[in-house]
Amino acid sequence: MADYLVIVESPAKAKTIERYLGRKYKVKASMGHVRDLPKSQMGVNPGEGIEPKYITIRGKGPVLKDLKTAAKKVKKVFLAADPDREGEAIAWHLAHILNIDETSPCRVVFNEITKDAIKEAFKHPRSINMDLVNSQQARRILDRLVGYNISPILWKKVKKGLSAGRVQSVAVRLIIEREKEIVQFIPEEYWSINGQFDMNGEVFEAYFYGLGGNKVELKTELDVKNVLSKVKGNKFNVISVKKKERKRNPVAPFTTSTLQQEAARKLNFRAKKTMMIAQQLYEGLDLGKEGTVGLITYMRTDSTRISETAQTEARQFITSEYGKDYVAQDVRTEKKSSNAQDAHEAIRPTSTLRTPNSLKTLLSRDQLRLYRLIWERFVASQMAAAIMDTMTVDLENEGVQFRANGSKVKFPGFMKVYIEGNDDVTKDEDKLLPDIEEGKIVVSKEIDPKQHFTQPPPRYTEARLVKTLEELGIGRPSTYAPTLDTIQKRGYVALDNKRFIPTELGTIVHELMMEFFPEILDLEFTAKMESSLDQVEEGTENWIKIIDEFYQGFEKRLKVAEQEMQKVEIKDEPAGESCEICGHDMVYKMGRYGKFMACSNFPECRNTKAIVKEIGVACPSCEKGNIIERKSKKNRLFYGCDTFPNCEFVSWDKPLARKCPKCNGLLVEKKAKKGIQVQCTSCDYKEEVQE
């Protein structure tokens, strides 16, 4: 019989830890939180000392009964929930239920689920950290006060099922304000002049820089004509050649938000999916002979700190794999941002020696892709800087100056393993120039002026929105994924081409919130509140005082909203066709993945239809139907015949109306690194990438 009971949050974690601790320990799972505020009522009394009313979560009775029985049979109970404020709160609730003294050394925390980390953690149990618990309570109660007070007003005045929240309301505000910027944006004309130049048979590109050594902007076609009128002949003098060596340092290992951003950019993962897979990697996966092993450190963190042990192992691995020149000369210490809670390490592999290739047959495709991203980012962070040779060449003809920039990788350093992604289009890393000398003459082969118009700011992708929220100090690592999920589920925003657009409903709710609850949407107020809650965690601020101060002003706002908020009627847009089931009109509605058609006789009739978008291409398979855009269950766009199921033609790539000039087969548009490539599905015919 076991002497000790260890309670963790999940069965997967329990299985891994029990194997490391041995027969004296029995490890059981609480299955997450066991107590919470009641769903049927507010559960707190603001202005009266708060006193939250906690009840056992529905369905957790059998779990608690099992834990109580097991606790009676052992000498001591250890509470080993996750090493963050949610985990601390779970441990505190369990201590209350199991009559464990919270000041006794009953709490065990570890940043990674490995044998050494677990055994070391159990050598140093501590008491429950009430500052962490109170920080969690404060956040939970503030969210309850906002949600349970504003939501019923929105239900009465707008529509049932709506909600409001501290972080979600600000996220919606950012999306709506960005959309307003786009709508109000007035494009401005500007021009560029690019030239193709020849140096002893080697052609390179340069762009117009200025006149007489001064940089000049080209705003109109007249400006371009004035510049080109000055050029005499096609010979340009090389007036300056500058060569420099530039260092490029690797980025730090992942935090929660940077992991979500990079997984969105490189793997096309939603934030929710990233966190789900990261949880699996952290809790442990079956590696065959090795058993169940935790592959990464804890995935909810905003610290870039790493342990000396992990650093040493990584540096030894880099030396053996790539050579000593590839190891960073100095041990890097990352700057901590003002918002970062340095509670535990960055997200990294539990062992650098466990390479992604060694796990190929043991992990699912998505698990391996995310693990590879984490592994490569961490290893690269411990590698030497890349060294770039850069070259700037200035050409001149009658005072008209063109400039060419080039660079090449002299020493790849960390870039041999990993290069960070970017939301914006970037130039190729290597753009080589011929060996040009000052005083030489080059010949222009082509001068190409082009008209451009300034572009509005881009809509938010998930990655860009997470980055913006983090920069503004709004929300914390654990809140980003559920926030993005909630604003879509409520129908406040939708995704269009992986970018957020506000819905009519989202705009209406936002305007009401701005009128009646401006503090909730105020970026500075929300960021300051987050900072105050962090101070509770650090033990320098009283959590009850924060809630009381917030509620004093909030309560007045609630009374005004109850009396003065006008009822809003949202009329559905007619779709112009009748329901084939009941004959009522079909209307357009906005769902999680955009617009769809639904019967206006809902809930009596629940008929819905996707909005069909024809692309003007006849079906190449049956030749009777037309190709239309469709969406898979995972919201991925594909193309199929409108006579389905009679014709089962489908394609992930967009079919084109014209035929292949080589074999008369079907041409499709395929995504390429630099845009769209046209290629034949029957032969090897391809067309150049269209920029």
Side-chain angles (χ1 to χ4, degrees):
M1 187 179 288
D3 293 336
Y4 307 104
L5 173 66
V6 181
I7 303 175
V8 295
E9 290 175 62
S10 74
K13 200 170 164 185
K15 184 181 173 185
T16 313
I17 293 169
E18 191 167 79
R19 190 167 63 85
Y20 292 146
L21 290 176
R23 286 179 297 177
K24 287 187 177 182
Y25 292 83
K26 182 68 181 171
V27 186
K28 287 185 172 285
S30 70
M31 312 297 286
H33 279 275
V34 291
R35 288 202 310 169
D36 196 6
L37 299 171
K39 284 189 175 182
S40 58
Q41 54 184 275
M42 185 71 68
V44 289
N45 299 303
E48 298 175 24
I50 306 298
E51 292 186 20
K53 176 188 174 184
Y54 291 113
I55 62 166
T56 301
I57 295 171
R58 182 176 290 180
K60 288 297 176 77
V63 174
L64 290 178
K65 185 180 178 184
D66 181 44
L67 293 177
K68 284 176 182 177
T69 303
K72 288 174 184 175
K73 297 176 182 177
V74 296
K75 295 176 185 175
K76 188 171 179 62
V77 178
F78 290 106
L79 305 170
D82 286 345
D84 57 13
R85 54 180 164 260
E86 291 295 329
E88 205 71 19
I90 290 171
W92 178 66
H93 286 300
L94 284 168
H96 178 86
I97 290 166
L98 300 175
N99 294 316
I100 298 168
D101 181 1
E102 64 194 42
T103 63
S104 68
C106 60
R107 178 82 168 109
V108 176
V109 291
F110 34 82
N111 192 45
E112 59 185 77
I113 303 175
T114 58
K115 191 172 185 177
D116 290 345
I118 299 295
K119 293 209 164 186
E120 183 63 26
F122 274 85
K123 288 178 186 175
H124 308 285
R126 60 165 172 79
S127 60
I128 289 172
N129 183 334
M130 287 309 297
D131 291 332
L132 273 176
V133 173
N134 290 335
S135 174
Q136 189 274 343
Q137 287 196 96
R139 288 172 188 275
R140 185 76 186 94
I141 290 165
L142 278 170
D143 288 339
R144 172 59 61 100
L145 291 173
V146 171
Y148 270 49
N149 280 300
I150 298 178
S151 297
I153 299 174
L154 294 176
W155 297 353
K156 282 190 280 185
K157 308 290 184 179
V158 186
K159 175 184 172 183
K160 280 191 177 180
L162 301 182
S163 69
R166 290 184 307 116
V167 180
Q168 75 175 56
S169 297
V170 173
V172 172
R173 174 184 178 170
L174 291 172
I175 293 164
I176 287 173
E177 287 184 346
R178 177 56 55 89
E179 197 66 23
K180 283 179 182 174
E181 285 180 69
I182 293 168
V183 170
Q184 293 167 4
F185 182 81
I186 299 171
E188 291 183 9
E189 179 187 16
Y190 70 98
W191 287 71
S192 66
I193 309 173
N194 286 341
Q196 297 288 325
F197 295 85
D198 187 301
M199 172 77 183
N200 298 330
E202 289 189 75
V203 178
F204 64 95
E205 190 175 293
Y207 62 92
F208 170 71
Y209 175 78
L211 297 170
N214 298 315
K215 189 171 175 63
V216 173
E217 289 184 6
L218 303 170
K219 294 186 176 180
T220 65
E221 190 174 10
L222 183 61
D223 292 343
V224 173
K225 287 178 178 177
N226 286 338
V227 167
L228 295 181
S229 68
K230 298 178 189 297
V231 176
K232 306 299 180 191
N234 63 353
K235 292 182 179 179
F236 282 71
N237 295 314
V238 179
I239 60 169
S240 170
V241 177
K242 292 176 184 173
K243 294 181 180 180
K244 284 184 183 178
E245 191 177 88
R246 181 172 61 87
K247 277 190 176 183
R248 180 175 168 183
N249 287 314
V251 287
F254 282 126
T255 62
T256 304
S257 69
T258 54
L259 176 63
Q260 289 174 5
Q261 291 168 48
E262 193 74 336
R265 286 190 288 249
K266 288 194 170 181
L267 308 180
N268 200 23
F269 283 3
R270 304 283 296 280
K272 185 179 178 182
K273 180 176 180 177
T274 299
M275 295 309 290
M276 179 188 75
I277 296 171
Q279 182 94 28
Q280 294 165 3
L281 296 174
Y282 165 69
E283 290 188 344
L285 295 165
D286 188 355
L287 302 186
K289 288 181 182 178
E290 234 186 312
T292 305
V293 177
L295 295 177
I296 63 168
T297 52
Y298 192 54
M299 65 287 158
R300 290 189 182 90
T301 176
D302 42 18
S303 169
T304 55
R305 179 178 60 80
I306 59 168
S307 69
E308 284 185 25
T309 307
Q311 210 162 39
T312 301
E313 185 187 67
R315 293 167 74 87
Q316 288 171 350
F317 173 84
I318 294 161
T319 303
S320 64
E321 193 72 15
Y322 304 105
K324 63 180 181 181
D325 290 344
Y326 281 86
V327 182
Q329 291 181 355
D330 303 312
V331 175
R332 293 189 181 96
T333 53
E334 300 300 333
K335 289 181 181 177
K336 182 182 159 187
S337 77
S338 58
N339 297 325
Q341 301 300 294
D342 206 31
H344 26 258
E345 290 187 62
I347 304 168
R348 61 166 176 81
T350 52
S351 173
T352 308
L353 305 179
R354 205 174 279 114
T355 64
N357 286 343
S358 71
L359 301 175
K360 265 185 178 178
T361 59
L362 301 168
L363 305 186
S364 72
R365 179 175 177 269
D366 285 343
Q367 286 169 346
L368 183 64
R369 290 171 77 204
L370 191 65
Y371 180 76
R372 186 184 297 279
L373 197 66
I374 293 166
W375 186 91
E376 288 176 351
R377 172 93 163 208
F378 170 66
V379 171
S381 75
Q382 302 307 304
M383 293 178 75
I387 299 173
M388 317 292 291
D389 271 343
T390 64
M391 191 172 176
T392 303
V393 177
D394 286 334
L395 318 170
E396 189 183 59
N397 176 312
E398 299 296 328
V400 176
Q401 192 174 326
F402 277 71
R403 176 166 287 181
N405 292 316
S407 70
K408 66 177 179 179
V409 179
K410 184 177 181 181
F411 173 68
F414 74 92
M415 291 167 60
K416 202 171 182 75
V417 173
Y418 172 88
I419 299 173
E420 187 181 30
N422 196 306
D423 278 329
D424 305 306
V425 177
T426 53
K427 293 179 181 177
D428 291 341
E429 197 59 58
D430 265 20
K431 189 179 179 184
L432 301 176
L433 293 177
D435 191 14
I436 304 172
E437 293 178 24
E438 223 170 271
K440 296 285 185 182
I441 292 175
V442 297
V443 177
S444 65
K445 297 182 72 67
E446 183 184 348
I447 301 289
D448 183 21
K450 281 186 179 176
Q451 183 187 36
H452 308 274
F453 290 93
T454 54
Q455 297 297 310
R459 288 181 174 129
Y460 286 106
T461 58
E462 279 205 354
R464 201 185 291 269
L465 186 57
V466 165
K467 186 177 182 182
T468 304
L469 288 168
E470 184 184 34
E471 286 171 349
L472 292 169
I474 291 162
R476 289 295 176 259
S478 59
T479 64
Y480 296 135
T483 295
L484 300 189
D485 197 42
T486 299
I487 61 177
Q488 290 172 77
K489 280 182 176 174
R490 296 286 181 263
Y492 295 155
V493 299
L495 279 173
D496 179 32
N497 196 26
K498 297 177 189 174
R499 284 170 166 75
F500 285 115
I501 55 169
T503 64
E504 182 190 7
L505 176 63
T507 305
I508 289 168
V509 171
H510 169 73
E511 286 172 356
L512 291 172
M513 291 286 291
M514 282 295 284
E515 183 180 352
F516 293 98
F517 302 101
E519 290 89 355
I520 302 295
L521 296 174
D522 184 78
L523 304 182
E524 196 175 324
F525 177 85
T526 308
K528 191 178 175 184
M529 178 64 75
E530 290 287 1
S531 180
S532 296
L533 292 169
D534 288 341
Q535 287 170 358
V536 173
E537 194 166 315
E538 292 158 13
T540 58
E541 188 64 86
N542 183 285
W543 68 288
I544 293 175
K545 178 187 159 200
I546 289 172
I547 294 169
D548 281 342
E549 285 177 356
F550 166 78
Y551 195 74
Q552 282 171 19
F554 182 61
E555 189 177 26
K556 292 172 187 172
R557 295 274 187 194
L558 284 170
K559 288 174 182 174
V560 172
E562 281 278 10
Q563 294 166 5
E564 297 182 13
M565 190 183 287
Q566 298 295 309
K567 191 170 175 64
V568 179
E569 187 179 349
I570 302 173
K571 291 183 178 179
D572 293 317
E573 182 187 348
E577 61 179 86
S578 300
C579 174
E580 61 266 36
I581 294 175
C582 71
H584 282 75
D585 291 336
M586 296 292 281
V587 293
Y588 290 121
K589 288 189 176 289
M590 182 61 77
R592 189 175 179 185
Y593 296 124
K595 275 189 174 181
F596 67 96
M597 281 194 281
C599 181
S600 59
N601 193 29
F602 179 87
E604 282 72 24
C605 177
R606 295 178 177 268
N607 182 30
T608 60
K609 286 170 66 177
I611 297 171
V612 173
K613 183 180 177 184
E614 291 189 4
I615 63 169
V617 178
C619 178
S621 179
C622 70
E623 298 182 350
K624 294 177 183 177
N626 293 308
I627 299 300
I628 58 173
E629 281 187 2
R630 294 182 180 274
K631 283 190 176 178
S632 69
K633 288 181 180 177
K634 293 187 177 178
N635 200 37
R636 185 179 170 189
L637 194 68
F638 71 99
Y639 302 87
C641 182
D642 63 1
T643 65
F644 179 86
N646 295 327
C647 174
E648 296 184 353
F649 172 83
V650 289
S651 171
W652 289 116
D653 304 312
K654 185 179 181 180
L656 299 180
R658 57 193 175 92
K659 299 291 185 183
C660 172
K662 189 173 178 181
C663 72
N664 210 36
L666 175 68
L667 289 178
V668 295
E669 288 183 350
K670 291 185 79 73
K671 286 183 181 178
K673 283 184 179 178
K674 294 183 180 178
I676 302 294
Q677 190 174 56
V678 173
Q679 81 181 48
C680 180
T681 56
S682 304
C683 71
D684 60 357
Y685 176 78
K686 288 181 182 177
E687 291 180 6
E688 286 185 15
V689 172
Q690 301 168 358
E691 295 290 348

